[in-house]
Amino acid sequence: DAKTTQPPSMDCAEGRAANLPCNHSTISGNEYVYWYRQIHSQGPQYIIHGLKNNETNEMASLIITEDRKSSTLILPHATLRDTAVYYCIVAAYSGAGSYQLTFGKGTKLSVIP
Amino acid sequence: ETGVTQSPTHLIKTRGQQVTLRCSSQSGHNTVSWYQQALGQGPQFIFQYYREEENGRGNFPPRFSGLQFPNYSSELNVNALELDDSALYLCASSLAWVQGSRETQYFGPGTRLLVL
């Protein structure tokens, strides 16, 4: 079962920041938070991941609370092309080079013109 | 573009048949994972291969099997197809994840399988 809880849907005005919340209250100390997105019928696209520090890359920022029980993905200037399902995933190393991504149902983000 | 390719893009089979799906990993990646995504659901982990051996498995029956080749490409085989096997099958490649690393799985476009 997914270890994360996300709102099923959100709207965001084009050009504004999109803030997508995720709750992972049972996260363990060695588990990472990953964000992927999936545009209709395409393969999931990696966005960003982190352990406990905030992270930023060319696509987004990831803010993880100090207790690591929740995080927020921020798309600073949403465009219509950012309309997608966003998945927040908790993943752990399980030995011998193995880890798996356990997807939930994600948040359907609709960017409105 | 992730550099991960999958073939075929679409496939139609009938119940009871067998199917083989193929995945070519991103250059330099030695680990491949397979996922099944039913309509309206998130992807579900099937199994992972590392150095040509199964290295983790999700809650899927043995009729789902795989192979990884020395060039790190991979196959997913499904025997005795059932109607519920209709789904988008995704493969993802990565480097092996060692403790403290930050390896990422990169997904291919998927193969859409329809079982009639």
Side-chain angles (χ1 to χ4, degrees):
Chain A
D1 291 338
K3 295 184 176 182
T4 60
T5 303
Q6 298 177 255
S9 64
M10 291 181 63
D11 291 340
C12 178
E14 188 178 18
R16 304 296 293 269
N19 296 281
L20 291 89
C22 179
N23 182 289
H24 31 79
S25 58
T26 61
I27 193 169
S28 299
N30 65 345
E31 292 182 318
Y32 286 77
V33 179
Y34 280 77
W35 283 84
Y36 281 78
R37 72 181 181 184
Q38 189 173 27
I39 297 169
H40 182 63
S41 294
Q42 298 180 18
Q45 178 188 21
Y46 167 77
I47 302 173
I48 198 166
H49 73 289
L51 185 61
K52 50 186 174 182
N53 297 321
N54 297 338
E55 302 285 345
T56 296
N57 63 20
E58 65 279 2
M59 287 184 68
S61 295
L62 173 61
I63 308 299
I64 303 174
T65 58
E66 191 169 344
D67 62 7
R68 300 208 326 121
K69 293 185 176 182
S70 66
S71 61
T72 301
L73 177 74
I74 301 172
L75 307 178
H77 304 288
T79 71
L80 299 179
R81 289 179 295 179
D82 292 323
T83 292
V85 177
Y86 287 76
Y87 294 100
C88 170
I89 299 158
V90 168
Y93 174 67
S94 54
S98 172
Y99 77 104
Q100 65 186 68
L101 302 175
T102 303
F103 289 79
K105 292 191 175 182
T107 295
K108 174 74 168 85
L109 175 68
S110 298
V111 179
I112 311 300
Chain B
E1 297 294 329
T2 62
V4 180
T5 59
Q6 293 186 242
S7 62
T9 56
H10 296 81
L11 200 53
I12 300 174
K13 291 285 189 178
T14 57
R15 192 170 50 183
Q17 285 189 311
Q18 177 268 341
V19 69
T20 297
L21 309 181
R22 295 178 174 82
C23 173
S24 178
S25 298
Q26 185 177 119
S27 178
H29 283 179
N30 55 15
T31 301
V32 64
S33 304
W34 285 91
Y35 294 79
Q36 178 197 66
Q37 185 174 23
L39 202 60
Q41 304 296 316
Q44 301 298 307
F45 175 71
I46 303 175
F47 44 56
Q48 183 177 88
Y49 276 79
Y50 170 61
R51 291 185 177 176
E52 303 175 50
E53 292 194 359
E54 189 177 292
N55 191 32
R57 190 176 184 94
N59 189 26
F60 280 81
R63 60 189 185 84
F64 286 78
S65 64
L67 285 173
Q68 186 183 31
F69 300 99
N71 66 354
Y72 304 130
S73 65
S74 176
E75 288 182 354
L76 165 66
N77 298 289
V78 186
N79 294 322
L81 283 167
E82 300 177 0
L83 299 180
D84 286 349
D85 295 333
S86 295
L88 180 66
Y89 288 86
L90 297 157
C91 79
S93 77
S94 63
L95 291 171
W97 206 32
V98 297
Q99 188 63 37
S101 76
R102 297 168 60 85
E103 299 307 333
T104 300
Q105 295 186 14
Y106 295 95
F107 285 80
T111 293
R112 186 161 298 282
L113 172 65
L114 177 61
V115 182
L116 301 175

